[in-house]
Amino acid sequence: MKNRLIQLSRIVVGLLFMFSGFVKCVDPTGGAIKIEDYFIAWGMEWMPFEVCMFLSLAQNIIEFGVGYMLFINAYVELASLVVLAFMCFYTPLTLYIAIANPVSDCGCFGDAVKLSNWETFWKNMAFLPLAILVFMTRKSCPTRLHGWRKVAVAGIGVLLALLISIKGITDEPIIDYRPYSVGTDINQAMMIPDDAPMPEYKTTFILEKDGVRKEFDEMNYPYEDSTWVYIDANTEVISEGYVPPIKDFTLTDVDGNLRTNDLLASKEPVVLINSPKVEEISDQHVAMLVEMAKKQENDEGDMYILTSSSAADQKLLDEKAGWSFEYLQGDETMLKTITRSNPGVLVLQNGVIIAKYHIDHMPVQGIDNPLATNLANIASENARLVILCVIFAVALLIVMIVGKRRRG
């Protein structure tokens, strides 16, 4: 019974770290953005984004790697030590985050599973004893993998995490957990159901009388006693209520006019070039944007650049391109959520996201029929994922069979 508990703990902790690492390897840029949010909250705005990306990649690959090693029962002594170090570091850190609340979402499972800061802390508290047990009993997990076979099996898992991460950096995430995935009806995603729970707040008023300050709430506020002087008020969120998947899709033109409703009501496909910072667009991509703008103009279609950059930066891009683009202003965080590439391409029709591309992976035939070309693109991406998983499984099988034959 004791041995079964030890093995079960090892497998459960391994699966947790594998899942956490995998969903973040799929989208390392999203992890880097979350790490950047932490640095900004801690007053370290000067930290280069490249450092955030390196930390994201290292954390994701290590998480998946040690979880995978625990799961297959290889290098358990090393993996259990790393897991325990992770848990001992992140458990008090998530307690601080839950109390101080510098960011609303810790990002421990990327965009796949959203947990509040307190839920994240209690999750860590639940798994910390298991991590300690796995570490304390690390020598009680005999493995059948030895020599080159152990190195090969462990290496295959780490290589898989690395390949998925590279794919996530050079293209849009192969699995899109974000609210702006292809097929999303933005109008529906922004709606709040009639029976949805409403947010609840508690307001505390600080009043002063005869040099004495006292706190009141709505129930005992001295409405009829005018001798109390108002000093301050604090509002605490008791319950956030229902939060729609998309709550910040707001776009305005250069004159400050809201254009969101026009875009979402368009019956014709609208091409949106998503670039949170237009000043970071490369010369090669600028040339591609000009070609796309010319084609859209010839086809009498609409094309806008979504950005949070200033009017001065927009003007510089126009001068570099030799073309006057149409811009729509949006929140930088929202734009970074829509696409990871800068620029990325989004196609809307009737408020539905019918296509989304990394600009370097646009379909060869263009976007004359964005729905058809994107369905082909999705099929291709799914095929690549299936092929990658099959190669991974076959490689493991070959290693296991060859190892058994040599031992026999």
Side-chain angles (χ1 to χ4, degrees), residues 337-399:
T337 304
I338 294 177
T339 60
R340 296 309 190 198
S341 54
N342 183 22
V345 182
L346 192 75
V347 184
L348 281 182
Q349 188 173 17
N350 292 318
V352 178
I353 301 174
I354 59 175
K356 186 162 68 169
Y357 309 101
H358 187 295
I359 194 169
D360 289 333
H361 297 87
M362 292 283 292
V364 176
Q365 64 270 43
I367 52 176
D368 293 328
N369 188 346
L371 182 57
T373 55
N374 194 66
L375 289 175
N377 191 47
I378 292 173
S380 175
E381 293 295 341
N382 289 340
R384 291 175 190 172
L385 181 60
V386 170
I387 291 172
L388 187 62
C389 292
V390 170
I391 293 174
F392 175 67
V394 170
L396 280 178
L397 184 61
I398 291 174
V399 170

Side-chain angles (χ1 to χ4, degrees), residues 304-338:
Y304 302 93
I305 294 181
L306 313 184
T307 186
S308 62
S309 296
S310 66
D313 288 325
Q314 296 172 21
K315 183 178 179 181
L316 287 175
L317 178 64
D318 287 348
E319 292 175 354
K320 182 190 294 186
W323 187 271
S324 295
F325 295 108
E326 291 191 69
Y327 297 91
L328 294 177
Q329 202 80 15
D331 176 71
E332 182 178 350
T333 300
M334 180 265 290
L335 297 178
K336 286 181 177 180
T337 304
I338 294 177

Side-chain angles (χ1 to χ4, degrees), residues 18 41 66 71-72 110 139 180 192 200 212 257 282 301 303-304 318 320 324 350 353 365 385 387 394:
M18 283 181 67
V66 297
F71 181 72
I72 65 172
K139 295 184 179 180
Y180 295 94
I192 299 178
E200 297 180 17
V212 178
N257 300 313
S282 67
M303 172 176 148
Y304 302 93
D318 287 348
K320 182 190 294 186
S324 295
N350 292 318
I353 301 174
Q365 64 270 43
L385 181 60
I387 291 172
V394 170

